[in-house]
Amino acid sequence: MSYEELFYRALRIRLIEEAIIEIYPSDKIQSPVHLSIGQEHHIVSFIENLKLEDKIFTTYRNHGVYLAKDGDLKLMFAELYGKIDGISKGKAGSMHLTYPKTGVMGSSAIVGAIYSHATGFALSQKIKKEDSITVAITGEGATEEGTFCECLNFASLKSLPIIFLIENNGLAINIPLYKRENYKIKNLAEAFNLDYFHFANGFEFENINRETDKIVQSVRENQKPTIIEIDTYRYKEHVGIGEDYDKGYRDISELKKWQDIDPLIQDRKLIEKFTPKIEKEIEEAMEFAENSPFATREELLKDVL
Amino acid sequence: MMTYREAIKKSMDLILKEVPDSAIYGLGVTDHIGIFDTTKDLEQKYGKDRVFETPISEDSMTGVALGLSLGGIYPVHIHIRADFLLLAMNQLINSIAKYRYMYGGLYEAPMLIRAVIGRSWGQGAQHSQSLQSLFAHIPGLTVIMPSSAKSILNSYEYVAKHYKNPVISFEHRLLYDYQFENLEKEENPLSSKLLKEGSDITVIATSIMNEEAIKASNFIDKNISLEIIDIHNITDMDRELILKSVRKTKKVIVLDTSWVSFGVCAEVSRIILEENIHLKMPIVNLGMEKATCPTAKLLENEFYTDLKDIVDSIYKLYYEKENHNKTLPSDEEVSYLHKHFRGPF
């Protein structure tokens, strides 16, 4: 896919989340939000290589993944607003976006919980001899959970068609990497006999798009489980719409470093070209959410069993 | 006639045969013990894709069940000791129980998790626990405790073919060698069951405690008539069946395989006490003593409720006094099987 098309998709995610920031103080959005701002580029570049039947399991930082895998924007806003027309009738909210139609199979607020869901799904694909693959997308912090190694082992043992995509933003909540990890994910891949690829700059649309296309094809054809680690940066606080560079756990110079090379900030020409169209789409989606009714009492006990 | 063990084995075979997209897995399902001979030879018969071993990774392997289920494979995940489920609490409670509700009904996660309660010779603190109430507390899970071969045959076929929610089934190790005559089809396999009609005392029981109740019924004086209700479905016990019986007898004993406080006994008592029923005698709750299960035999025998305790309680309730002067079962009558069981573990 061309730079311009990838840029458009990433800019769309950024502007949608900026609209979320703008509306958030009104309390129309009825749950905490974990924004993807700063991490949109590699998501669209990678996901563009997946087929409709390929599945993704991800975390509470899921807006980018949901949108990149063609999750419906109107239903997303209705979900954030806690409305009955939301994709999960408002029961899920921001942290649990899902869109089974296009293969976004769930988003967990329990760090690392989805590795095994993705592994199990990949096993079902293998048992049924399907041509599709499954992807688990998390931050690097989730790899600290024991289940990560357990799933690498099992995926490797069973030669599953699965990709563990690790977005390394160097932060888990408010804790920097050096305080948490004394291992390299690359070495875990080696220990469990998985293929491993690393991208040091998550902002390289075309490079990531082109290279991960080859990886996706290889996983599909060879059933060789694979880790892709992509370095990126979370611009906003862990949860919420603000910035927290005054809190002492990270320095604003890190942000500046990434912003200086961020096409979604630097490429003014394309930003101007695409913004009006995207803003119109956002406006319509918010209006849809606004006009949808809230779920009422009779919804409370539905779908427990 | 069929043993509990044979009923489980037959059910596992039936699931693989009649539910084409199903898989059975767990630690030990393909070894020479084959989960106490309930999964032996299935790998050879149905293939490595559908019957397989796992690494010792209970939490992840439970999440794998969810992934399989979402992918259209009906998983049967087996734990040779129920205690190992504690390693999978995160997946069971945070993900599996919630998948249907949290996403507004977009998904279903049908699956069967078999877990064996290991009560027997020296199983001690970490190989003997009855954890039904921990799981029954959580909306979204269905917890069952089949008490007979009939209950196994009906429940397992039903949940694998027709039930769209995650089920945790606690099988009692000491039931495995019990012979059962009645194997007939049930209409509602996931409901509580009236095992015996009676008029004097209502006994409400789980799992192997139903067998103890039947033994007690056979032991006591013939003029005393027990009504025995097998709760079976811990998460959705039949309130009406329980209350109807209690309104009739006004005397109740609750028998559970686990601790009394915060458990099935507490829940049944709650259900009864929330109604305006004037009991003739206070409810009697019998289960494990409030201690960790000890290994030494003498202590272990004290730890569990036995036939003697049950018969004693029946006479106290019936005669409405502490000193009934009735003969209680001898040590040998208490339970040959329970006291002489030597594995395999």
Side-chain angles (χ1 to χ4, degrees), chain A residues 57 87-89 91-92 96-100 104-108 110 113 116-117 119-121 123-124 126-129 147 150-151 153-154 157-158 299-305, chain B residues 21 23 48-49 52-61 63-64 66-68 70-73 90-91 94-95 97 99-107 139-142 163 165:
Chain A
F57 291 82
I87 180 67
S88 300
K89 303 176 187 172
K91 286 176 173 172
H96 307 299
L97 289 184
T98 189
Y99 202 63
V104 184
M105 298 302 290
S107 309
S108 181
I110 305 296
S116 55
H117 309 164
T119 302
F121 204 98
L123 181 58
S124 80
K126 178 149 182 149
I127 292 173
K128 291 174 149 186
K129 300 186 169 46
T147 185
E150 293 182 358
C151 290
N153 176 42
F154 192 67
L157 198 64
K158 297 276 174 198
E299 200 48 56
L300 182 68
L301 295 178
K302 271 191 199 156
D303 295 315
V304 176
L305 284 177
Chain B
D21 288 324
K48 289 178 194 319
D49 270 0
F52 54 90
E53 285 301 325
T54 71
I56 310 182
S57 308
E58 284 83 357
D59 174 64
S60 298
M61 291 307 112
V64 162
L66 177 58
L68 282 170
L70 295 172
I73 303 279
N90 176 45
Q91 285 300 336
N94 278 326
S95 294
Y99 229 77
R100 182 175 193 154
Y101 188 89
M102 183 166 90
Y103 295 119
L106 288 174
Y107 301 101
L141 296 176
T142 298
Y163 196 59
N165 299 296

Coordinates of all heavy atoms in Angstrom, one line a residue, chain A residues 57 87-89 91-92 96-100 104-108 110 113 116-117 119-121 123-124 126-129 147 150-151 153-154 157-158 299-305, chain B residues 21 23 48-49 52-61 63-64 66-68 70-73 90-91 94-95 97 99-107 139-142 163 165:
Chain A
F57 N -6.4 -10.3 18.6 CA -6.8 -10.2 20.0 C -5.9 -9.1 20.6 O -4.7 -9.1 20.3 CB -6.6 -11.4 20.8 CG -7.5 -12.6 20.5 CD1 -7.3 -13.4 19.4 CD2 -8.7 -12.8 21.2 CE1 -8.2 -14.4 19.1 CE2 -9.6 -13.8 20.9 CZ -9.3 -14.6 19.8
I87 N -21.3 -1.3 19.7 CA -21.0 -2.6 19.2 C -21.3 -3.7 20.3 O -21.8 -4.8 20.0 CB -19.5 -2.8 18.7 CG1 -19.3 -4.2 18.2 CG2 -18.5 -2.4 19.7 CD1 -20.0 -4.5 16.9
S88 N -21.1 -3.4 21.5 CA -21.5 -4.3 22.6 C -22.5 -3.7 23.5 O -22.6 -4.0 24.8 CB -20.2 -4.7 23.4 OG -19.3 -5.3 22.6
K89 N -23.4 -2.9 23.0 CA -24.5 -2.3 23.7 C -24.1 -1.4 24.9 O -24.8 -1.3 25.9 CB -25.5 -3.3 24.2 CG -26.0 -4.2 23.1 CD -26.9 -5.3 23.7 CE -27.3 -6.3 22.6 NZ -28.0 -7.5 23.2
K91 N -21.9 -2.3 27.0 CA -21.4 -3.1 28.2 C -19.9 -3.2 28.1 O -19.2 -3.6 29.1 CB -22.0 -4.5 28.1 CG -23.5 -4.5 28.5 CD -24.0 -5.9 28.3 CE -25.4 -5.9 28.9 NZ -26.1 -7.2 28.6
A92 N -19.2 -2.9 27.0 CA -17.8 -3.1 26.9 C -17.0 -1.8 27.1 O -16.1 -1.7 27.9 CB -17.5 -3.6 25.5
H96 N -12.8 -2.6 26.0 CA -13.1 -3.9 25.4 C -13.7 -3.8 24.0 O -14.7 -4.5 23.7 CB -14.1 -4.7 26.4 CG -13.6 -4.7 27.8 ND1 -12.4 -5.3 28.1 CD2 -14.1 -4.2 28.9 CE1 -12.2 -5.2 29.4 NE2 -13.2 -4.5 29.9
L97 N -13.1 -3.0 23.2 CA -13.7 -2.9 21.8 C -13.5 -4.2 21.1 O -12.5 -4.9 21.3 CB -13.0 -1.8 21.0 CG -13.3 -0.3 21.4 CD1 -12.6 0.6 20.5 CD2 -14.8 -0.1 21.4
T98 N -14.4 -4.6 20.3 CA -14.3 -5.8 19.5 C -15.2 -5.6 18.2 O -16.1 -4.8 18.2 CB -14.9 -7.0 20.3 OG1 -14.6 -8.2 19.6 CG2 -16.4 -6.9 20.5
Y99 N -14.9 -6.4 17.2 CA -15.6 -6.3 16.0 C -15.5 -7.6 15.2 O -14.6 -7.7 14.3 CB -15.2 -5.1 15.1 CG -16.2 -4.6 14.2 CD1 -17.4 -4.1 14.6 CD2 -16.0 -4.6 12.8 CE1 -18.4 -3.6 13.7 CE2 -17.0 -4.2 11.9 CZ -18.2 -3.7 12.4 OH -19.1 -3.3 11.5
P100 N -16.2 -8.6 15.6 CA -16.0 -9.9 15.1 C -16.1 -10.0 13.5 O -15.5 -10.8 12.9 CB -17.1 -10.8 15.7 CG -18.0 -9.8 16.5 CD -17.3 -8.6 16.7
V104 N -11.7 -8.5 14.8 CA -11.2 -8.0 16.1 C -11.9 -8.7 17.2 O -13.0 -8.5 17.5 CB -11.4 -6.5 16.2 CG1 -10.8 -5.9 17.5 CG2 -10.9 -5.7 15.0
M105 N -11.2 -9.8 17.7 CA -11.9 -10.8 18.5 C -12.0 -10.5 20.0 O -12.5 -11.3 20.8 CB -11.3 -12.1 18.3 CG -11.3 -12.6 16.9 SD -13.0 -12.8 16.2 CE -13.6 -14.2 17.2
G106 N -11.5 -9.4 20.4 CA -11.6 -9.0 21.8 C -10.4 -8.2 22.3 O -9.3 -8.2 21.7
S107 N -10.7 -7.4 23.4 CA -9.6 -6.6 24.0 C -9.7 -6.7 25.5 O -10.8 -6.5 26.0 CB -9.9 -5.1 23.6 OG -10.1 -5.0 22.2
S108 N -8.6 -7.1 26.1 CA -8.7 -7.4 27.5 C -8.0 -6.3 28.3 O -7.0 -5.7 27.9 CB -8.0 -8.7 27.8 OG -8.1 -9.0 29.2
I110 N -6.9 -7.1 31.2 CA -5.9 -7.8 32.0 C -4.7 -8.1 31.2 O -4.7 -8.8 30.1 CB -6.5 -9.2 32.4 CG1 -7.9 -9.0 33.1 CG2 -5.5 -10.0 33.3 CD1 -7.8 -8.3 34.5
A113 N -3.5 -11.4 29.2 CA -4.5 -12.4 29.1 C -4.8 -12.9 27.7 O -5.2 -14.1 27.5 CB -5.8 -11.9 29.8
S116 N -3.0 -16.2 25.4 CA -3.6 -17.6 25.3 C -4.8 -17.7 24.4 O -5.1 -18.7 23.8 CB -3.8 -18.2 26.7 OG -4.6 -17.3 27.4
H117 N -5.6 -16.6 24.4 CA -6.8 -16.6 23.6 C -6.4 -16.7 22.1 O -6.9 -17.5 21.3 CB -7.7 -15.3 23.8 CG -8.0 -15.0 25.2 ND1 -8.4 -13.8 25.6 CD2 -7.9 -15.8 26.3 CE1 -8.6 -13.9 26.9 NE2 -8.3 -15.1 27.4
T119 N -3.5 -17.8 21.0 CA -2.9 -19.1 20.8 C -4.0 -20.2 20.5 O -3.8 -21.0 19.6 CB -2.0 -19.5 22.0 OG1 -1.1 -18.4 22.2 CG2 -1.3 -20.8 21.8
G120 N -5.0 -20.2 21.4 CA -6.1 -21.1 21.2 C -6.8 -20.9 19.9 O -7.2 -21.9 19.2
F121 N -7.0 -19.7 19.5 CA -7.7 -19.4 18.2 C -6.8 -20.0 17.0 O -7.3 -20.6 16.1 CB -8.0 -18.0 18.0 CG -9.2 -17.8 17.1 CD1 -10.4 -17.6 17.5 CD2 -9.0 -17.9 15.7 CE1 -11.5 -17.4 16.7 CE2 -10.1 -17.8 14.8 CZ -11.3 -17.5 15.3
L123 N -4.8 -22.3 17.2 CA -4.9 -23.8 17.2 C -6.2 -24.3 16.5 O -6.2 -25.2 15.8 CB -4.8 -24.3 18.7 CG -4.9 -25.8 18.9 CD1 -3.8 -26.6 18.1 CD2 -4.9 -26.2 20.4
S124 N -7.3 -23.5 16.7 CA -8.5 -23.9 16.0 C -8.3 -23.7 14.5 O -8.8 -24.6 13.8 CB -9.7 -23.1 16.5 OG -9.7 -21.8 16.0
K126 N -5.6 -24.1 12.9 CA -4.7 -25.2 12.5 C -5.5 -26.5 12.4 O -5.5 -27.3 11.4 CB -3.6 -25.4 13.4 CG -2.7 -26.5 13.0 CD -1.2 -26.3 13.4 CE -0.4 -27.4 12.9 NZ 0.9 -27.1 12.5
I127 N -6.3 -26.8 13.5 CA -7.1 -28.0 13.5 C -8.1 -28.1 12.3 O -8.3 -29.1 11.7 CB -7.9 -28.2 14.8 CG1 -6.9 -28.4 16.0 CG2 -8.9 -29.3 14.8 CD1 -7.6 -28.4 17.4
K128 N -8.7 -26.9 12.0 CA -9.6 -26.8 10.9 C -9.0 -26.6 9.5 O -9.7 -26.5 8.5 CB -10.6 -25.7 11.2 CG -11.6 -25.9 12.3 CD -12.4 -24.7 12.6 CE -13.8 -25.0 13.1 NZ -14.6 -23.8 13.2
K129 N -7.7 -26.6 9.5 CA -6.9 -26.5 8.3 C -7.3 -25.2 7.5 O -7.5 -25.2 6.3 CB -7.0 -27.7 7.4 CG -6.5 -29.0 8.1 CD -6.5 -30.2 7.2 CE -5.7 -31.4 7.8 NZ -6.0 -31.7 9.2
T147 N 2.4 -15.9 31.3 CA 1.7 -16.5 30.2 C 2.3 -16.2 28.9 O 2.1 -17.0 27.9 CB 0.2 -16.0 30.3 OG1 -0.6 -16.7 29.3 CG2 0.1 -14.5 30.0
E150 N 4.6 -19.1 28.4 CA 3.8 -20.3 28.2 C 3.3 -20.4 26.8 O 3.2 -21.5 26.2 CB 2.7 -20.3 29.3 CG 3.1 -20.4 30.7 CD 2.0 -20.4 31.7 OE1 0.8 -20.3 31.3 OE2 2.3 -20.5 32.9
C151 N 2.8 -19.3 26.3 CA 2.2 -19.3 25.0 C 3.2 -19.4 23.9 O 2.9 -20.0 22.9 CB 1.3 -18.1 24.8 SG -0.2 -18.2 25.8
N153 N 5.9 -21.1 24.1 CA 6.2 -22.5 24.1 C 5.1 -23.3 23.4 O 5.4 -24.2 22.6 CB 6.3 -23.0 25.6 CG 6.6 -24.5 25.7 OD1 7.4 -25.0 25.0 ND2 5.9 -25.1 26.7
F154 N 3.9 -23.1 23.8 CA 2.8 -23.9 23.2 C 2.6 -23.6 21.7 O 2.5 -24.6 20.9 CB 1.5 -23.6 23.9 CG 0.4 -24.6 23.6 CD1 0.5 -25.9 24.0 CD2 -0.7 -24.2 22.9 CE1 -0.5 -26.9 23.7 CE2 -1.7 -25.2 22.6 CZ -1.6 -26.5 23.0
L157 N 5.5 -25.4 20.1 CA 5.3 -26.9 20.2 C 4.3 -27.3 19.1 O 4.4 -28.4 18.5 CB 4.7 -27.2 21.6 CG 4.8 -28.5 22.1 CD1 6.2 -29.0 22.3 CD2 4.0 -28.5 23.5
K158 N 3.3 -26.5 18.8 CA 2.2 -26.9 17.9 C 2.3 -26.3 16.5 O 1.4 -26.5 15.7 CB 0.8 -26.5 18.5 CG 0.5 -27.2 19.8 CD -0.1 -28.6 19.6 CE -0.4 -29.3 20.8 NZ -0.6 -30.8 20.6
E299 N -31.7 -4.6 29.8 CA -30.4 -5.1 29.2 C -29.5 -5.7 30.3 O -28.6 -6.5 30.0 CB -29.7 -3.9 28.5 CG -28.7 -4.3 27.5 CD -29.1 -5.3 26.5 OE1 -30.1 -5.2 25.8 OE2 -28.4 -6.3 26.4
L300 N -29.7 -5.3 31.6 CA -28.7 -5.6 32.6 C -28.5 -7.1 32.8 O -27.3 -7.6 32.9 CB -29.3 -5.1 34.0 CG -28.3 -5.3 35.2 CD1 -27.0 -4.5 35.0 CD2 -29.0 -5.0 36.5
L301 N -29.5 -7.9 32.7 CA -29.3 -9.4 33.0 C -29.3 -10.2 31.7 O -29.3 -11.4 31.8 CB -30.4 -9.9 33.9 CG -30.4 -9.3 35.3 CD1 -31.6 -9.8 36.2 CD2 -29.1 -9.5 36.0
K302 N -29.2 -9.6 30.6 CA -29.1 -10.3 29.3 C -27.7 -10.8 29.1 O -26.7 -10.1 29.4 CB -29.5 -9.4 28.1 CG -31.0 -9.5 27.8 CD -31.2 -8.8 26.5 CE -32.7 -8.4 26.4 NZ -32.9 -7.3 25.4
D303 N -27.5 -12.0 28.5 CA -26.2 -12.5 28.1 C -25.3 -12.8 29.3 O -24.1 -12.9 29.1 CB -25.5 -11.5 27.1 CG -26.3 -11.4 25.8 OD1 -26.7 -12.5 25.3 OD2 -26.5 -10.3 25.3
V304 N -25.8 -13.0 30.5 CA -25.0 -13.6 31.5 C -24.7 -15.0 31.2 O -23.6 -15.5 31.3 CB -25.7 -13.5 32.9 CG1 -24.9 -14.1 34.0 CG2 -26.0 -12.0 33.3
L305 N -25.8 -15.8 30.9 CA -25.6 -17.2 30.4 C -26.5 -17.3 29.2 O -27.5 -16.7 29.0 CB -26.2 -18.1 31.5 CG -25.3 -18.4 32.7 CD1 -26.0 -19.3 33.7 CD2 -23.9 -19.0 32.3
Chain B
D21 N -16.4 -31.0 15.7 CA -15.4 -30.0 16.1 C -15.2 -30.0 17.6 O -15.5 -29.0 18.2 CB -15.8 -28.7 15.5 CG -15.7 -28.6 14.0 OD1 -14.7 -29.2 13.5 OD2 -16.5 -28.0 13.4
A23 N -12.4 -31.1 20.9 CA -11.0 -31.6 21.3 C -11.0 -31.8 22.8 O -11.6 -31.1 23.6 CB -10.0 -30.5 20.9
K48 N -4.1 -37.0 17.1 CA -3.3 -36.1 18.0 C -3.9 -34.7 17.9 O -3.6 -33.9 18.8 CB -1.9 -36.1 17.5 CG -1.1 -37.4 17.9 CD 0.3 -37.2 17.3 CE 1.1 -38.5 17.3 NZ 0.9 -39.4 18.5
D49 N -4.6 -34.3 16.9 CA -5.1 -33.0 16.8 C -6.3 -32.8 17.8 O -6.5 -31.7 18.2 CB -5.7 -32.7 15.4 CG -4.6 -32.1 14.5 OD1 -3.5 -31.9 14.9 OD2 -4.9 -31.9 13.3
F52 N -4.9 -34.3 23.1 CA -3.5 -33.9 23.2 C -3.1 -33.5 24.7 O -3.9 -33.0 25.5 CB -3.1 -32.9 22.2 CG -3.9 -31.6 22.2 CD1 -3.6 -30.5 23.1 CD2 -5.0 -31.5 21.4 CE1 -4.3 -29.4 23.1 CE2 -5.8 -30.3 21.4 CZ -5.4 -29.3 22.2
E53 N -1.8 -33.7 24.9 CA -1.2 -33.3 26.2 C -1.0 -31.8 26.2 O -1.0 -31.2 25.1 CB 0.2 -34.0 26.3 CG 0.2 -35.4 26.7 CD -0.5 -35.7 28.0 OE1 -0.4 -34.8 28.9 OE2 -1.2 -36.7 28.1
T54 N -0.7 -31.2 27.3 CA -0.3 -29.8 27.4 C 1.0 -29.7 28.2 O 1.3 -30.5 29.0 CB -1.4 -28.9 28.0 OG1 -1.4 -29.2 29.4 CG2 -2.7 -29.2 27.4
P55 N 1.7 -28.6 28.1 CA 2.7 -28.2 29.0 C 2.0 -27.9 30.4 O 0.8 -27.8 30.4 CB 3.3 -26.9 28.5 CG 2.7 -26.7 27.2 CD 1.5 -27.5 27.0
I56 N 2.8 -27.9 31.5 CA 2.3 -27.6 32.8 C 2.1 -26.1 32.9 O 2.8 -25.4 33.5 CB 3.2 -28.1 33.9 CG1 3.5 -29.6 33.6 CG2 2.5 -28.0 35.3 CD1 4.4 -30.2 34.7
S57 N 1.0 -25.6 32.2 CA 0.8 -24.2 32.1 C -0.7 -23.9 32.2 O -1.4 -23.6 31.2 CB 1.3 -23.6 30.7 OG 2.6 -24.0 30.5
E58 N -1.3 -24.2 33.4 CA -2.7 -24.2 33.5 C -3.4 -22.9 33.1 O -4.4 -22.9 32.4 CB -3.1 -24.5 35.0 CG -3.0 -26.0 35.4 CD -1.5 -26.3 35.8 OE1 -0.7 -25.4 35.7 OE2 -1.3 -27.5 36.2
D59 N -2.9 -21.8 33.5 CA -3.5 -20.5 33.1 C -3.6 -20.3 31.6 O -4.7 -20.1 31.0 CB -2.7 -19.3 33.7 CG -3.2 -18.0 33.3 OD1 -4.4 -17.7 33.7 OD2 -2.5 -17.2 32.6
S60 N -2.5 -20.5 30.9 CA -2.5 -20.3 29.5 C -3.3 -21.4 28.8 O -4.0 -21.1 27.8 CB -1.1 -20.4 28.9 OG -0.3 -19.3 29.5
M61 N -3.3 -22.6 29.3 CA -4.0 -23.7 28.6 C -5.5 -23.5 28.8 O -6.3 -23.9 28.0 CB -3.6 -25.1 29.1 CG -2.2 -25.5 28.7 SD -2.0 -25.4 26.9 CE -0.8 -24.0 26.8
G63 N -6.8 -20.3 28.8 CA -7.1 -19.3 27.8 C -7.1 -19.9 26.4 O -7.9 -19.5 25.6
V64 N -6.3 -21.0 26.2 CA -6.4 -21.7 24.9 C -7.8 -22.3 24.7 O -8.3 -22.3 23.6 CB -5.3 -22.8 24.9 CG1 -5.6 -23.8 23.8 CG2 -3.9 -22.1 24.6
L66 N -10.6 -21.0 25.6 CA -11.4 -19.9 25.2 C -11.1 -19.6 23.7 O -12.1 -19.4 22.9 CB -11.1 -18.6 26.0 CG -11.9 -17.3 25.6 CD1 -13.4 -17.5 25.6 CD2 -11.5 -16.2 26.5
G67 N -9.9 -19.5 23.3 CA -9.5 -19.3 21.9 C -10.1 -20.4 21.0 O -10.6 -20.1 19.9
L68 N -10.0 -21.7 21.4 CA -10.5 -22.8 20.7 C -12.0 -22.6 20.5 O -12.6 -22.8 19.4 CB -10.2 -24.1 21.4 CG -8.8 -24.7 21.2 CD1 -8.6 -25.9 22.2 CD2 -8.5 -25.1 19.8
L70 N -13.9 -19.9 20.7 CA -14.2 -18.8 19.8 C -14.0 -19.2 18.4 O -14.7 -18.7 17.5 CB -13.4 -17.6 20.2 CG -13.7 -16.9 21.5 CD1 -12.7 -15.8 21.8 CD2 -15.1 -16.4 21.6
G71 N -13.0 -20.1 18.2 CA -12.7 -20.6 16.8 C -13.6 -21.8 16.4 O -13.3 -22.4 15.4
G72 N -14.6 -22.1 17.2 CA -15.5 -23.1 16.8 C -15.2 -24.5 17.1 O -15.8 -25.5 16.7
I73 N -14.2 -24.7 18.0 CA -13.9 -26.1 18.5 C -14.4 -26.2 19.9 O -14.2 -25.3 20.7 CB -12.3 -26.3 18.5 CG1 -11.7 -26.0 17.2 CG2 -12.0 -27.6 19.1 CD1 -11.8 -27.2 16.2
N90 N -7.4 -16.5 36.7 CA -7.5 -15.3 35.9 C -8.3 -15.6 34.6 O -9.2 -14.8 34.3 CB -6.1 -14.9 35.6 CG -6.1 -13.7 34.6 OD1 -6.9 -12.7 34.8 ND2 -5.3 -13.7 33.6
Q91 N -7.9 -16.7 33.9 CA -8.6 -16.9 32.7 C -10.1 -17.3 32.9 O -11.0 -16.8 32.2 CB -7.9 -18.1 31.9 CG -6.6 -17.7 31.3 CD -6.8 -16.6 30.2 OE1 -7.9 -16.4 29.7 NE2 -5.8 -15.8 30.0
N94 N -11.7 -13.8 34.8 CA -11.6 -12.5 34.1 C -11.9 -12.6 32.6 O -12.3 -11.6 32.0 CB -10.2 -11.9 34.2 CG -10.0 -11.2 35.5 OD1 -10.9 -10.5 36.0 ND2 -8.8 -11.2 36.1
S95 N -11.7 -13.7 32.0 CA -12.0 -13.8 30.6 C -13.2 -14.7 30.3 O -14.2 -14.3 29.7 CB -10.8 -14.3 29.8 OG -9.7 -13.3 29.9
A97 N -15.6 -16.4 32.0 CA -16.9 -16.1 32.5 C -17.5 -14.8 31.9 O -18.7 -14.7 31.9 CB -16.8 -15.9 34.0
Y99 N -16.8 -13.4 28.8 CA -16.7 -13.1 27.3 C -18.1 -12.8 26.7 O -18.2 -11.9 25.8 CB -16.0 -14.2 26.6 CG -14.9 -13.7 25.7 CD1 -13.7 -13.3 26.2 CD2 -15.1 -13.6 24.3 CE1 -12.7 -12.8 25.4 CE2 -14.2 -13.1 23.5 CZ -13.0 -12.7 24.0 OH -12.0 -12.1 23.2
R100 N -19.1 -13.5 27.1 CA -20.4 -13.4 26.5 C -21.0 -12.0 26.9 O -21.5 -11.2 26.1 CB -21.3 -14.5 26.9 CG -22.7 -14.5 26.3 CD -23.5 -15.7 26.7 NE -24.7 -15.8 25.9 CZ -25.3 -16.9 25.6 NH1 -24.8 -18.0 26.1 NH2 -26.4 -16.9 24.9
Y101 N -21.0 -11.7 28.2 CA -21.7 -10.5 28.7 C -20.9 -9.3 28.3 O -21.5 -8.3 27.9 CB -21.8 -10.6 30.2 CG -22.6 -9.5 30.8 CD1 -24.0 -9.7 31.0 CD2 -22.0 -8.3 31.2 CE1 -24.8 -8.7 31.5 CE2 -22.8 -7.3 31.7 CZ -24.2 -7.5 31.9 OH -25.0 -6.5 32.4
M102 N -19.6 -9.3 28.5 CA -18.8 -8.1 28.4 C -18.9 -7.5 26.9 O -18.9 -6.3 26.7 CB -17.4 -8.4 28.7 CG -16.4 -7.3 28.6 SD -14.8 -7.8 29.4 CE -13.9 -8.5 28.1
Y103 N -19.1 -8.4 26.0 CA -19.2 -8.0 24.6 C -20.7 -7.9 24.1 O -21.0 -7.9 22.9 CB -18.4 -8.9 23.7 CG -16.9 -8.8 24.0 CD1 -16.2 -9.9 24.4 CD2 -16.2 -7.6 23.8 CE1 -14.8 -9.8 24.7 CE2 -14.9 -7.5 24.1 CZ -14.2 -8.6 24.5 OH -12.8 -8.5 24.8
G104 N -21.6 -7.8 25.1 CA -23.0 -7.6 24.7 C -23.6 -8.8 23.9 O -24.5 -8.6 23.1
G105 N -23.1 -10.0 24.2 CA -23.7 -11.2 23.6 C -23.2 -11.5 22.2 O -23.7 -12.3 21.5
L106 N -22.1 -10.8 21.8 CA -21.5 -11.1 20.4 C -20.9 -12.5 20.4 O -20.7 -13.0 19.3 CB -20.5 -10.0 20.1 CG -21.0 -8.6 19.7 CD1 -19.8 -7.7 19.6 CD2 -21.8 -8.6 18.5
Y107 N -20.4 -12.9 21.5 CA -19.7 -14.2 21.5 C -20.4 -15.2 22.5 O -21.0 -14.8 23.5 CB -18.3 -14.0 22.0 CG -17.5 -13.1 21.1 CD1 -17.2 -11.8 21.5 CD2 -16.9 -13.5 19.9 CE1 -16.5 -10.9 20.8 CE2 -16.2 -12.6 19.1 CZ -16.0 -11.3 19.6 OH -15.3 -10.5 18.8
P139 N -20.8 -14.7 38.1 CA -21.8 -14.8 37.0 C -21.1 -15.2 35.7 O -20.0 -14.7 35.4 CB -22.3 -13.4 36.9 CG -22.0 -12.7 38.2 CD -20.7 -13.4 38.7
G140 N -21.7 -16.0 34.9 CA -21.1 -16.4 33.6 C -20.6 -17.8 33.6 O -20.3 -18.4 32.6
L141 N -20.3 -18.4 34.8 CA -19.8 -19.8 34.9 C -21.0 -20.7 35.3 O -21.8 -20.3 36.1 CB -18.7 -19.9 35.9 CG -17.4 -19.1 35.6 CD1 -16.4 -19.3 36.7 CD2 -16.8 -19.6 34.2
T142 N -21.0 -21.9 34.8 CA -21.9 -22.9 35.3 C -21.1 -24.0 35.9 O -20.2 -24.6 35.3 CB -22.7 -23.5 34.1 OG1 -23.5 -22.4 33.5 CG2 -23.7 -24.6 34.5
Y163 N -25.3 -26.8 25.1 CA -25.1 -25.7 26.0 C -24.1 -24.8 25.5 O -23.0 -25.2 25.2 CB -24.8 -26.3 27.4 CG -25.0 -25.3 28.5 CD1 -26.3 -24.8 28.8 CD2 -24.0 -25.0 29.4 CE1 -26.5 -23.9 29.8 CE2 -24.1 -24.1 30.4 CZ -25.4 -23.6 30.6 OH -25.6 -22.7 31.7
N165 N -22.5 -22.2 27.1 CA -21.7 -21.5 28.1 C -20.6 -22.4 28.7 O -20.7 -23.6 28.6 CB -22.6 -21.0 29.2 CG -23.7 -20.1 28.7 OD1 -23.4 -19.0 28.3 ND2 -25.0 -20.6 28.8

